[in-house]
Amino acid sequence: MNRLYELPAWRAAEQIRCGELSAEEYVAHLLDRIGEVEPRVRAFITLLDRENLLGQARLIDKRVKAGEKLGRLAGIPIAVKDNICTLGVRTTCASRMLENYVPPYDATVVERLKAEDAILLGKTNMDEFAMGTSTETSYFGPTRNPWNLERVPGGSSGGSAAAVASGMTPLALGSDTGGSIRCPASFCGVVGLKPTYGLVSRYGLVAYANSLEQIGPITFNVRDCSLLLSIIAGRDPKDATTINAEESYEASGGSLKGFRIGLVRELLGEGTHPAVLEAVHRFAGKLEEAGAELGEVSLPILEYALPAYYIIAMSEASSNLARYDGIRYGFRAEGEGLDWSREFSLTRSLGFGEEVKRRIILGTYALSAGYFDRFFLKAVKAATLIRRSLLEAFKNYTLLLAPTMPIPPFKLGEKIRDPLALYLCDVDTVPVNLAGVPAISLPAGFHEGLPLGAQLIGPPLGEQTLLKAAASYEEVSPESFRRPPI
Ligand code: GLN
């Protein structure tokens, strides 16, 4: 196969484990693909050195030859978002503040991938500290959408999604605080899953808004998504918020008889691009074709999701980012005659980008005496009501269906000067984080050569059900799962 990079990860791993495919050949092929497309896409902040990667692959081949039993990701390269700590490999959060930060430990998810014999390929570009929807706030410059280099790949895990879509890696990890896995998955035409809050360990994830975020898989197909989730999910003593997961997740597919799918009325109205509406209805039709029954559900409380999300996310960010003081680690502004307070303030003015500073300031405001009740507390109450109303909906529906993004991928630079316009793009993704439930974004068709996405939303711990529906959809809609012509 000359397009080895299109091989699903699960199959490549199977072939490597039985000696049918050499890990070295596979990794070399992907590195060639990277050499071909990365100069245009710029999905990575850090790529591991070619000789090092090939050396790791050769070691895998050697162990296969020796008859050793290898892990579920034997010889499979994976790209990891640059806010997930990797031992000895710099982890920048796409910020000048952490430009040279090299973690002395692996995040739990990375440890688990290595235990399955995966190969860390590199660290992917993102919005600075995961604050954004387009990967344009990165200190290292934007990533481009492999479907159209003038368009954004979505964000904040834009590098991960662009790398998977363009065949530079079969697997990637992203993080999703308010849509950062699903948005770029949708804009790049790949699969992205945001797990139930607590299902995947956040140990080693640089915190943005801890009460909302989860690490999750970004892959080209549903079965790879299940495989990756099976590996990273589950209780971790190092993260007290984690819960037990299934032994493994299957992308079984087949008939959806008995499934009731609820289209969320409030997310299919005003402000949604007609092409997106059409794609979501077409998606619903495919599920019906697979045996599901469709209905419509109204959740008026979702009107408050966006403001509640931004108040909570910014408040938590203002507190989490207080640790970047130039003293313990990270960037430090030094100068003759600077006293402690000037140095501290200069460190933060120069170390953080505009969007991060805007959020720290707004978050500090929302938490300050007198405003705490009016903003933060109210937002938390709204989140509780949103969770309640979603749980209520799951009494009648197996899964809910909505657009992932209200609009198709937009042009680079189009919205970056208008923060509010960018925030509004998150209207369909944030309810899921406020409610702590899982959701998967799937390719749902194209508009003028650009991919569109739809998301299935599940009840708490409904990942297995989501993956089954996703796999059935993939079976009946293979034309939606395409590679960009790059
Ligand atoms: N776009 C949203 C934000 O800017 C979500 C980001 C994320 O999920 N990390 O906050």
Side-chain angles (χ1 to χ4, degrees), residues 261-265 268 280-281 284 294-298 397 400-402:
I261 308 286
L263 282 131
V264 185
R265 184 190 300 159
L268 285 160
V280 173
H281 284 112
L294 301 180
E296 197 191 64
V297 52
S298 172
Y397 291 96
L400 302 180
L401 175 61

Side-chain angles (χ1 to χ4, degrees), residues 81 129-133 155-156 175-181 208 213 309-310 313 359 423 426 430 433:
K81 187 176 181 179
F129 283 101
M131 298 176 189
T133 307
S156 65
S175 68
D176 192 311
T177 310
S180 281
I181 288 175
Y208 156 24
E213 57 211 8
Y309 167 79
Y310 271 99
R359 294 190 188 202
Y423 300 168
D426 301 332
V430 299
N433 303 75

Side-chain angles (χ1 to χ4, degrees), residues 147 165 184-191 219-220 442-443 446 451-452 480-482:
W147 286 91
S186 153
F187 277 11
C188 293
V190 297
V191 179
T219 62
F220 192 75
L442 295 160
F446 296 85
L452 305 171
S480 303
F481 295 72
R482 268 192 253 157

Side-chain angles (χ1 to χ4, degrees), residues 22-356:
S22 117
E24 185 181 3
E25 186 195 332
Y26 181 57
V27 171
H29 176 89
L30 287 170
L31 289 171
D32 291 346
R33 177 71 184 157
I34 291 173
E36 202 179 310
V37 298
E38 173 63 0
R40 283 170 287 160
V41 176
R42 308 190 75 84
F44 288 92
I45 291 175
T46 303
L47 261 170
L48 272 84
D49 160 72
R50 186 180 177 99
E51 274 323 302
N52 168 350
L53 292 167
L54 291 175
Q56 290 186 58
R58 274 194 292 274
L59 202 62
I60 297 278
D61 289 333
K62 222 193 232 160
R63 288 170 58 199
V64 170
K65 282 217 181 74
E68 247 184 78
K69 190 176 172 324
L70 275 94
R72 286 176 281 177
L73 292 178
I76 306 299
I78 180 158
V80 173
K81 187 176 181 179
D82 214 18
N83 59 350
I84 299 174
C85 286
T86 42
L87 169 70
V89 177
R90 76 173 175 151
T91 298
T92 68
C93 288
S95 180
R96 182 180 189 191
M97 191 58 95
L98 292 177
E99 188 178 3
N100 299 309
Y101 173 62
V102 179
Y105 69 105
D106 270 328
T108 296
V109 290
V110 173
E111 227 169 45
R112 289 192 182 179
L113 292 169
K114 289 182 177 173
E116 296 290 343
D117 298 312
I119 297 176
L120 174 67
L121 183 60
K123 305 296 297 290
T124 54
N125 199 14
M126 53 186 278
D127 282 295
E128 186 178 6
F129 283 101
M131 298 176 189
T133 307
S134 62
T135 314
E136 291 171 285
T137 71
S138 169
Y139 174 63
F140 301 93
T143 294
R144 287 162 187 273
N145 192 317
W147 286 91
N148 178 334
L149 299 171
E150 300 308 310
R151 302 271 163 165
V152 302
S156 65
S157 317
S160 287
V164 169
S166 58
M168 295 195 264
T169 177
L171 304 176
L173 289 182
S175 68
D176 192 311
T177 310
S180 281
I181 288 175
R182 290 161 289 152
C183 159
S186 153
F187 277 11
C188 293
V190 297
V191 179
L193 181 127
K194 180 261 173 210
T196 302
Y197 187 75
L199 190 71
V200 176
S201 168
R202 284 178 294 110
Y203 179 75
L205 170 69
V206 179
Y208 156 24
N210 354 26
S211 78
L212 303 166
E213 57 211 8
Q214 276 289 286
I215 294 173
I218 298 179
T219 62
F220 192 75
N221 62 71
V222 177
R223 185 153 167 189
D224 282 347
C225 178
S226 315
L227 174 61
L228 194 44
L229 182 68
S230 303
I231 290 164
I232 60 174
R235 173 104 188 95
D236 174 16
K238 291 178 182 147
D239 174 355
T241 62
T242 51
I243 48 189
N244 288 322
E246 308 271 341
E247 193 56 50
S248 84
Y249 294 88
E250 312 291 336
S252 47
S255 162
L256 292 182
K257 218 165 215 61
F259 273 63
R260 283 180 52 79
I261 308 286
L263 282 131
V264 185
R265 184 190 300 159
E266 284 73 13
L267 304 183
L268 285 160
E270 203 196 331
T272 307
H273 192 284
V276 173
L277 287 178
E278 202 187 305
V280 173
H281 284 112
R282 189 187 148 276
F283 187 105
K286 290 285 177 183
L287 296 177
E288 204 172 21
E289 206 179 289
E293 203 183 307
L294 301 180
E296 197 191 64
V297 52
S298 172
L299 305 168
I301 185 78
L302 292 188
E303 187 190 333
Y304 301 103
L306 199 69
Y309 167 79
Y310 271 99
I311 288 170
I312 296 172
M314 290 176 180
S315 301
E316 291 187 23
S318 75
S319 157
N320 276 321
L321 272 61
R323 67 184 59 137
Y324 304 105
D325 52 15
I327 294 169
R328 286 161 295 185
Y329 46 76
F331 172 77
R332 174 182 199 157
E334 273 160 318
E336 279 296 309
L338 282 183
D339 61 15
W340 176 83
S341 131
R342 295 262 318 276
E343 186 167 298
F344 174 83
S345 114
L346 202 58
T347 292
R348 290 171 66 85
S349 331
L350 298 175
F352 291 134
E354 287 304 305
E355 183 58 26
V356 171

